[in-house]
Amino acid sequence: MSKLLFSFLFLVSFLAFPNEYERIDRKVRNYPNFKNIHDLGYRIQNDFTTDEERVRAAFVWLTQNMIYIKTFDDTFKTSRIISYQSEYGRQKQIREVVLGWIEKAFRTRKGVCLEYSLILNELCLQFGLPSKVIAGIAKTDIRSSEVDQTYKNHTWNAVQIDGIWKLMDPTWASGHLDLVSQKFIRKQLDHYYFTSPSEFIKHHFPTNEEWQLLDNPVNLKHFLSAPIYLTDFFGKGIELSPKTKGIFSISSEDNNYIYFDQLPRDHGMYYWVHGSSEIRKMGFKKGTDKSYISKIRLKKKLPKNHNLLTVFMDDKPILNFKIIEKQATN
């Protein structure tokens, strides 16, 4: 009887979790227009009581109100020269610069990843929570060689709740920029909210290894050469093997394979080479190490720009691979 009761309570709590977020999200979506970030922070603190509720409210406000856009000012933004005679003076001037960025982005409701991260960080600090803006590499392409370790193209956030650091990316959670129309398409993606470190490292690589929040950190070379994990990959009960590389070669002496460590029985996967009209269903065989192996068949010659292969599951793209003419050398 006790086991049955435990199972019932677990199920109820599991189902209540997203419903609780729905309550928060709905309330935040009906917020009025705030003149400054501190008024927004005070409203959130009055409306919600727990740290997690407040962070969720701040996160959702960003996804619903900010527009990702790179303005002329962002493109040609000049560095501000600061002079100081003490560490206190340096920190004070840096703080003034940061507040200027935050105030402008909040007023215009426009910005790029840095503005998104700074606003969320400022709200978390207002709530009295340890909070960090994390700089690093967002995975947008697949490379066979490393880049400079100091290279950064993205920022995201970490906040500490009940002694545990949580990762989130309010920029990627807000939607995407349509490459054809150059218009921002708003779509809230909760995958990037409190994402588990083991999933977050699949698309975000922090410059400081500490912020991977992993017992066994991933190295940069593996991160860059792995496939691109698309949002619909997650939550489907699949796990790609570390043996799977993100680069296929049409002139390789070795066959091109995709390895899965975990795979549902009815997966219905297929793949498509961009620009072609051919779609191939993926077949699998069991490997000696209990992995699932699928052979990818590529034509010996592909037309120009046919250099990307996408894997689909349930008719949704889940993985991208790069196709090259020759086998990559390391």
Side-chain angles (χ1 to χ4, degrees):
M1 182 65 181
S2 60
K3 289 184 178 180
L4 181 61
L5 178 61
F6 174 80
S7 299
F8 173 75
L9 292 175
F10 177 81
L11 179 61
V12 169
S13 63
F14 179 80
L15 293 174
F17 184 74
N19 290 335
E20 178 63 15
Y21 278 170
E22 287 177 14
R23 177 184 68 84
I24 297 168
D25 297 1
R26 185 168 56 252
K27 193 176 189 69
V28 172
R29 288 192 180 105
N30 290 321
Y31 271 1
N33 186 29
F34 295 96
K35 292 183 178 180
N36 60 68
I37 189 172
H38 296 295
D39 288 348
L40 170 62
Y42 292 141
R43 176 64 181 268
I44 290 174
Q45 286 176 291
N46 288 330
D47 283 348
F48 305 102
T49 56
T50 70
D51 292 337
E52 184 171 344
E53 287 177 337
R54 289 170 175 172
V55 173
R56 175 68 183 188
F59 181 87
V60 170
W61 186 92
L62 275 163
T63 67
Q64 299 303 307
N65 289 274
M66 290 291 291
I67 296 176
Y68 184 92
I69 185 169
K70 198 169 185 66
T71 65
F72 185 84
D73 290 341
D74 293 321
T75 305
F76 297 98
K77 184 183 290 184
T78 57
S79 300
R80 174 176 165 180
I81 298 175
I82 61 175
S83 59
Y84 53 90
Q85 296 179 338
S86 66
E87 179 61 22
Y88 172 79
R90 187 178 79 91
Q91 293 296 335
K92 182 180 179 181
Q93 291 193 54
I94 291 175
R95 175 68 175 161
E96 289 174 356
V97 172
V98 169
L99 285 177
W101 288 345
I102 291 173
E103 289 169 4
K104 180 180 178 182
F106 193 90
R107 183 178 67 255
T108 62
R109 301 293 195 267
K110 296 177 181 178
V112 292
C113 58
L114 180 59
E115 282 77 13
Y116 276 73
S117 297
L118 288 175
I119 290 174
L120 183 55
N121 182 67
E122 186 69 18
L123 287 167
C124 289
L125 292 176
Q126 187 174 335
F127 304 153
L129 297 173
S131 181
K132 296 284 185 182
V133 173
I134 310 299
I137 303 172
K139 183 87 179 270
T140 56
D141 62 355
I142 304 165
R143 308 181 189 188
S144 59
S145 58
E146 293 189 32
V147 297
D148 187 338
Q149 186 73 39
T150 62
Y151 171 76
K152 297 180 285 290
N153 67 355
H154 195 50
T155 60
W156 55 93
N157 296 76
V159 63
Q160 192 181 75
I161 296 179
D162 296 329
I164 300 174
W165 284 100
K166 306 282 188 177
L167 298 168
M168 48 188 170
D169 184 344
T171 311
W172 280 24
S174 298
H176 67 277
L177 190 67
D178 187 273
L179 297 179
V180 177
S181 66
Q182 289 298 304
K183 291 183 178 180
F184 179 75
I185 309 300
R186 191 181 303 283
K187 181 181 180 183
Q188 184 175 315
L189 299 172
D190 278 343
H191 168 70
Y192 302 108
Y193 177 73
F194 286 5
T195 316
S196 69
S198 61
E199 290 188 352
F200 208 74
I201 192 59
K202 288 178 168 56
H203 35 64
H204 290 68
F205 189 92
T207 302
N208 186 338
E209 185 182 274
E210 173 189 359
W211 290 108
Q212 291 188 30
L213 303 182
L214 295 171
D215 293 333
N216 298 303
V218 172
N219 64 53
L220 181 58
K221 183 177 181 179
H222 175 79
F223 173 81
L224 293 172
S225 63
I228 292 179
Y229 292 79
L230 305 175
T231 306
D232 285 308
F233 174 91
F234 303 97
K236 285 185 163 45
I238 54 179
E239 186 60 44
L240 202 65
S241 169
K243 294 189 299 182
T244 300
K245 303 301 181 183
I247 301 176
F248 293 143
S249 172
I250 60 176
S251 59
S252 172
E253 295 180 359
D254 300 322
N255 289 313
N256 297 303
Y257 292 107
I258 300 178
Y259 302 87
F260 287 90
D261 287 337
Q262 187 175 335
L263 193 68
R265 177 171 295 180
D266 300 321
H267 53 78
M269 286 187 185
Y270 60 91
Y271 64 89
W272 171 62
V273 176
H274 288 222
S276 71
S277 59
E278 188 176 13
I279 294 175
R280 287 184 178 270
K281 184 177 179 181
M282 293 176 66
F284 289 87
K285 66 177 183 179
K286 207 69 178 293
T288 55
D289 56 354
K290 297 184 179 180
S291 63
Y292 300 88
I293 308 171
S294 182
K295 183 177 181 179
I296 302 300
R297 303 177 186 277
L298 298 173
K299 294 181 178 179
K300 292 298 181 182
K301 288 187 177 180
L302 289 173
K304 188 178 180 180
N305 297 326
H306 288 48
N307 59 353
L308 190 67
L309 182 147
T310 298
V311 174
F312 293 80
M313 181 176 179
D314 298 330
D315 293 329
K316 293 183 178 180
I318 61 171
L319 292 165
N320 276 342
F321 294 82
K322 184 177 182 179
I323 303 173
I324 61 173
E325 290 291 335
K326 296 181 180 180
Q327 182 65 44
T329 57
N330 297 321

